DNA sequence: ACATCCTGCTTACGCGAGTAACCGGCACGT
DNA sequence: ACGTGCCGGTTACTCGCGTAAGCAGGATGT
């Protein structure tokens, strides 16, 4: 434990020891010279922290044991409610009271090390995405995983390459990693994680990752639903907004392709940045494009564009029909009310269950498709 | 290390050993019976995982040492670039190559345990908030902390009480905790965290927490800025929206109070839920309230309300002036364009620097005020 | 009277990594 | 020939915890 003047109960030196155990740890002092004395058994109120005093040592289970007058093992058994070991009720109480008095909190790292595994589910987040859809999904997922007794850790991986990120994540030895598609993983990265003990690497995104449980969310569905809706309303020449903001290609390209796949639609890609200026510029040259409808990537771009169209004197949906995606509340407030595509993602419960199955049964990684449903919601702008 | 048939380099049994070191660990088998054999030195490609094979053991620094033909200590020195110890270049290369071949990744928990502390900064998140303002702030903060070599971990604490949350966080032994005000901490919770080694507990929110570095963001500023703007435009009887959604009182109450503090304003609280129905109901009875302006908590509520007013035939800003807060992009797209209050929060860099100072110098916790600036941005709705 | 069983603990060990202290050689000075 | 110093490592110990195995001592069986 330590080299400091500890009780060192005078155990019988001539004990019946089957193996030669001198067991003299030769009190060699190492460098973290902590635990200079008893952690002050009395004084339960947090002392007013005298200036420049060395921080009081963090209480360990050994401290609890000392205070309760039992062995560390007993403390461990009691605090973990080990049913298989018989500890008397009075002792249990003593231990619990001692722990309470010291404000003992177990050390997760020590526990992990001993156990050989964690129950951490890692959720890498590069940039925190706004969308209410996404936000609700994340809440769901966290709840569901907590119910299954996993610890959810969102680990910011901003600006890391796939390799760096994978290594950093692996250090935590998570049982599972759920990549929400903000960081693109390679098969090598998946291997790194699995070698570090991850039982499941799950990716959500437009493309699958070999070796991982890939939930392929086919963004094409969204584009297709939008285009289909427009075609049904009699539109033919359809513009599809492709955001100029970097990082969105993974979503916009499949959506564009999805729109293209719809029979009867002539699709024209239309670049647009998420600013009023860009929308104004596009609106001004709109008539020259010869299009009669636009699928604007999502509701934000759609709203931006709608306003610009109106400022330009274009009537909606008369001159041009507009449809977005994501079903934002605010889209309903515009005049005309914005038609949109509602996107159905896998639920948090579904994902949590998938994690749990993979962890417990070591399910084979596979690609799953068709998890994303998209349906057009007609309102007034189409 | 383990009880399995490991090489056990035939060291000279009659070595000059000053202290009696039988060092026979009496190969007692404990329960995590891992490391059944060498971790397959060859075969660098991930094998196709034969069904029901026990997962290959996670490589440790001992495996690296074995493969490189050196001691574990050497591995540690090399991989940590220890400058104080002289290791020849060829040996360094051997070690690095072995580590690479095995795909070795250090075990964060073991490191933490040994070091006695972490560099984790914990960011509790209960529900992921949408707002672009907040989102950008979080990104900033993560960047800044990473630059200072901290590890940012967002720990979902959904549905936990303050006490439970504090204990759960304490288990990770973070150096610092930055509570964004979603979970209300007590002084006791702060004490728990500090006893667990946290050098800094920082809270951001409308109220201070004793014992913590409290950045008190006075939401009153927002309400005051909005009300002041309205008064300057000649409005007197001002309605202040109070969201009915739970969890927002901590923000809405001070904002209301801030509005009340403005000289010349008669302020009336107006409950409103974030739905079209609620807004419609409010709009219908609006004329009976005798108010000539409304500060709508934030832009979302404002937009909701604006639409309902217009549907009711109220002219904006003629019959009623509307101002929101948060300066959302979409507010600019309405007609009339929505006036708003831009909120200035502390920057991520500022917060990160605060954390770093507290960690390194153990700065005294204190309340800081006046960190939130609010300024009205007049557009067309007022 | 002594073996046997239960109860209620304690003792010992290892998880993986970092590091102070030690140590065998070789080169060099005297 | 022998101390001295540097180089290039290795050995031993520790962090906090969980748990298998051991072990007193009282109760019970024969």
């Amino acid at each position: 434990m330590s080299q400091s003047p500890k009780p060192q109960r005078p155990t019988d030196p001539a004990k019946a020891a089957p193996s030669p155990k001198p067991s003299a740890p030769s009190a060699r002092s190492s460098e973290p010279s902590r635990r200079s004395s008893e952690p002050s058994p009395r004084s339960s109120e947090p002392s007013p922290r005298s200036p420049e005093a060395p921080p009081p040592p963090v209480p360990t289970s050994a401290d609890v044991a000392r205070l309760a007058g039992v062995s560390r093992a007993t403390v461990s058994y009691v605090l973990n409610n080990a049913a298989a070991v018989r500890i008397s009720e009075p002792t249990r109480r003593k231990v619990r009271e001692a722990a309470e008095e010291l404000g003992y909190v177990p050390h997760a790292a020590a526990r992990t090390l001993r156990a050989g595994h964690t129950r951490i589910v890692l959720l890498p987040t590069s940039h925190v995405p706004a969308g209410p859809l996404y936000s609700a999904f994340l809440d769901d997922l966290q709840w569901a995983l907590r119910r299954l007794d996993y610890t959810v850790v969102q680990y910011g991986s901003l600006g890391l390459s796939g390799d760096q990120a994978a290594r950093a994540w692996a250090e935590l030895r998570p049982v599972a990693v759920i990549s929400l598609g903000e960081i693109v993983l390679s098969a090598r990265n998946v291997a790194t994680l699995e070698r570090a003990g991850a039982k499941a690497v799950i990716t959500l995104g437009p493309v699958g990752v070999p070796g991982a449980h890939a939930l392929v969310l086919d963004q094409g569905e969204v584009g297709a639903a939008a285009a289909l809706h427009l075609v049904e309303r009699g539109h033919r020449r359809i513009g599809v907004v492709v955001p100029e903001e970097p990082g969105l290609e993974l979503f916009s390209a499949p959506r564009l392709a999805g729109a293209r796949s719809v029979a009867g639609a002539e699709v024209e890609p239309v670049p647009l940045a998420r600013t009023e200026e860009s929308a104004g510029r596009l609106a001004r040259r709109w008539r020259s494009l010869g299009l009669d409808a636009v699928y604007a990537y999502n509701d934000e771009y759609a709203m931006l564009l709608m306003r610009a169209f109106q400022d330009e004197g274009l009537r909606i949906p008369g001159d041009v029909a507009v449809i977005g995606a994501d079903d934002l509340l605010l889209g309903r407030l515009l005049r005309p009310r914005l038609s949109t595509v509602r996107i159905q993602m896998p639920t948090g419960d579904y994902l949590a269950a998938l994690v749990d199955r993979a962890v417990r049964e070591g399910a084979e990684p596979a690609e799953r498709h068709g998890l994303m449903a998209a349906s057009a919601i007609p309102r007034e702008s189409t």
Side-chain angles (χ1 to χ4, degrees), chain A:
Chain A
M1 237 137 290
S2 79
Q3 77 293 0
S4 52
K6 62 175 173 257
Q8 184 74 11
R9 219 176 300 90
T11 52
D12 183 6
K15 214 185 308 178
S19 64
K21 45 172 167 181
S23 158
S26 77
R28 197 108 80 82
S29 87
S30 189
E31 95 319 332
S33 68
R34 298 163 57 259
R35 183 107 331 111
S36 50
S37 70
E38 318 288 304
S40 60
R42 62 206 64 206
S43 105
S44 64
E45 75 284 0
S47 64
R49 195 211 297 249
S50 60
E52 290 317 309
V58 179
T60 72
S61 74
D63 295 324
V64 175
R66 208 138 43 221
L67 180 56
V70 298
S71 74
R72 268 195 49 254
T74 304
V75 172
S76 187
Y77 286 130
V78 171
L79 297 185
N80 293 312
N81 297 314
V85 180
R86 311 122 306 188
I87 310 278
S88 70
E89 197 42 55
T91 304
R92 298 190 108 94
R93 217 186 24 254
K94 265 195 310 185
V95 169
R96 276 195 277 260
E97 282 168 2
E100 179 69 27
E101 176 170 347
L102 293 179
Y104 169 71
V105 173
H107 192 307
R111 225 174 210 176
T112 290
L113 185 55
R114 174 62 233 238
H117 64 264
T118 68
R119 298 230 2 127
I120 291 179
V121 175
L122 204 66
L123 280 178
T125 49
S126 59
H127 79 121
V128 184
L133 196 79
Y134 189 90
S135 174
F137 164 72
L138 222 56
D139 271 14
D140 251 34
L141 180 57
Q142 294 214 10
W143 262 112
L145 284 172
R146 180 177 314 291
R147 264 197 304 277
L148 293 171
D149 199 35
Y150 291 98
T151 296
V152 178
V153 172
Q154 279 179 257
Y155 190 100
S157 311
L158 220 67
L160 268 58
S161 75
D163 280 21
Q164 292 173 313
R167 288 184 64 87
W169 303 344
E171 293 191 4
L172 293 184
R173 299 287 190 271
V175 263
V177 177
I178 304 180
S179 167
L180 276 348
E182 305 180 51
I183 292 213
V184 185
L185 292 182
S186 69
R188 234 163 60 78
N189 299 334
V190 174
T192 296
L193 289 168
E194 294 191 332
R195 246 197 325 256
K199 294 279 190 47
V201 178
I202 298 180
T203 64
L204 277 192
V207 297
V209 174
H213 295 258
L215 305 194
V216 181
L217 301 184
D218 188 1
Q219 299 287 334
E221 298 281 336
V222 181
L228 190 61
H229 171 74
L230 292 172
V231 167
E232 283 173 355
R233 296 277 166 137
H235 301 282
R236 287 291 170 269
R237 306 242 327 125
I238 301 175
V240 171
V241 166
V242 179
E244 291 178 350
E245 278 73 22
L248 259 42
E249 309 85 13
L250 277 175
F251 298 86
S252 61
R255 288 188 184 188
L256 174 60
R260 281 214 164 97
S261 74
V262 173
E266 285 176 52
V267 167
E268 187 72 34
V270 180
L272 175 65
R274 198 173 147 282
T275 64
E276 286 190 82
E277 297 71 44
S278 177
R281 251 176 285 127
L282 177 56
R284 256 167 270 130
R285 65 190 189 87
W286 186 260
R287 297 183 214 261
S288 70
L289 295 176
L291 302 172
D292 57 6
V294 61
Y295 157 53
Y297 181 67
N298 73 12
D299 283 356
E300 279 207 315
Y301 289 84
M303 291 162 83
L304 205 54
L305 204 47
M306 226 165 89
R307 164 84 200 213
F309 282 158
Q310 290 174 327
D311 286 349
E312 204 57 29
L314 289 159
R315 282 160 309 156
I316 299 171
D319 295 327
V320 51
V322 178
I323 186 168
D326 285 357
D327 193 18
L328 295 192
L329 170 66
L330 298 180
R332 276 177 254 176
L333 305 179
L334 301 185
R335 35 187 86 240
R337 292 168 185 264
L338 180 64
S339 297
T340 190
V341 175
R342 175 176 293 156
I343 299 172
Q344 208 90 19
M345 301 228 306
T347 65
D349 287 296
Y350 172 84
L351 241 186
L354 180 61
V355 167
D356 197 44
R357 216 168 338 116
V359 167
R360 291 194 323 208
E361 304 166 15
E364 280 301 299
E367 287 200 6
R368 282 176 177 73
H369 291 262
L371 287 163
M372 200 156 101
S375 49
I377 300 184
R379 285 207 260 264
E380 302 166 1
S381 69
T382 52

